[in-house]
Amino acid sequence: MLIGVPKEIKNHEYRIGLTPAGVRELVEDGHQVLVQQDGGEPIGFEDAEYLDAGAEIVASPQDIFARADMIIKVKEPQPAECKLLRPGQILFTYLHLAPDPEQAKALLASGATCIAYETVTSAGHGLPLLAPMSEVAGRMAIQAGAHNLEKAQGGNGVLLGGVPGVEPAKVLVIGGGVVGINAARMAMGMGADVTLLDRDLGRLKELDMIFGGRLKTVYSTKEAVERYALEADLVVGAVLIPGASAPKLISRELVGRMKKGAVMVDVAIDQGGCFETSKATTHQEPTYVVDGVVHYCVANMPGGVARTSTIALTNATLPYAVKLARAGVSAALEDDQYLRNGLNVHAGMVTHPAVAEALGHEYVEPMAALARKPLERCA
């Protein structure tokens, strides 16, 4: 298969879809890989490394999209990239379609087969291609939160871990998944007073066994969210429903009653955000203030540590890319029910139930959709 890796064009996005090591694995498996010129240069992956791995360096994204059977990216395709997709082409990347009807419309019109990293599952009901970026984002949430608690950044001037004789900051983590556990671990490591809310009692018991009394685990109710949000210096929103829009767990009214200078980090912003006052921001302008509360809602947080993130992401996505390249999309998805859960759009049809519900589209079962002939690109 001919695989294309274009340079990312989203604001302050420095990751790339494959490392040179990932390219080498695909080439040695018998595939051809096109990498856009200087695509990895911002994070220290030079064109020479990709050439040594067996890739062909291509000057323009137009050439990559025109030639490749499968496009491997990091972030959702931007409007200019959506126009380059074609019927029958495979797009393998993060999509986060539920809060993004315009992107969904463009992908449906393209006729392409779009597999979303964030809805690929595992036997244990995990999200193996979301997990590495969730680990990064969870840890970055505390890093960003601590920085924005500084008075010069608009925060209330509280040091996350305190000092002898001064109590530490109170941190609330909402959600006990991969993001939440990594955020809690980082916050506790910095000496903060950490409370984690979740509705899964089994998960709370597991976290209690791991961390003991260092982490306060509380069953999540509206009353608990309100109580601990009002006490918090830093709130991390870490709630995810695969493929669906994130639930709004903190209302505008509650934000208005929180501590002035408190910081809210919404890691769920890719899925629309879990705070009512959330709106997507960028690494260039990461924060804004609502009712005296600092909001950090960067939609591609792991892009801030792009080299670490690219290596971690390639480690996770490479086995699936190899499977798709070897077998072709229909055979690969028929053989692997967990990879099949990643199929969001195919030939003008929405093939993930949560995405279809969120966007108000008809849901077509993946294998039924794949059995249909590819559409011509819609006008």
Side-chain angles (χ1 to χ4, degrees), residues 322-345:
V322 169
K323 181 175 290 190
L324 287 164
R326 281 182 181 173
V329 69
S330 293
L333 297 188
E334 183 174 8
D335 180 66
D336 188 335
Q337 62 178 312
Y338 306 113
L339 179 57
R340 190 160 67 239
N341 289 333
L343 187 65
N344 280 208
V345 169

Side-chain angles (χ1 to χ4, degrees), residues 29-196:
D29 200 54
H31 311 289
Q32 295 175 268
V33 182
L34 311 175
V35 176
Q36 188 174 340
Q37 185 177 358
D38 296 329
E41 188 273 335
I43 54 173
F45 294 131
E46 305 293 339
D47 288 349
E49 294 180 71
Y50 284 107
L51 287 169
D52 288 344
E56 177 186 342
I57 301 299
V58 177
S60 74
Q62 289 82 4
D63 286 347
I64 289 178
F65 278 85
R67 293 171 59 190
D69 303 306
M70 175 165 63
I71 299 292
I72 296 180
K73 280 178 42 63
V74 178
K75 290 304 293 177
E76 71 279 0
Q78 301 303 291
E81 295 173 310
C82 289
K83 293 177 182 178
L84 299 176
L85 291 166
R86 65 177 189 272
Q89 192 170 46
I90 304 166
L91 173 65
F92 194 34
T93 189
Y94 288 115
L95 293 176
H96 299 291
L97 288 176
D100 194 351
E102 288 305 310
Q103 184 203 168
K105 181 180 178 181
L107 294 183
L108 289 166
S110 75
T113 298
C114 306
I115 301 172
Y117 294 160
E118 73 272 10
T119 62
V120 173
T121 60
S122 65
H125 305 291
L127 300 170
L129 305 190
L130 189 61
M133 296 303 94
S134 295
E135 291 165 354
V136 171
R139 297 179 186 209
M140 285 189 72
I142 302 305
Q143 190 171 294
H147 175 65
N148 284 290
L149 279 171
E150 296 174 14
K151 194 65 182 175
Q153 306 304 319
N156 59 15
V158 172
L159 181 64
L160 206 64
V163 293
V166 182
E167 66 180 10
K170 293 184 182 294
V171 175
L172 171 62
V173 178
I174 307 176
V178 177
V179 170
I181 192 172
N182 278 274
R185 178 183 287 120
M186 283 290 288
M188 287 186 292
M190 295 175 73
D193 178 353
V194 185
T195 300
L196 184 143

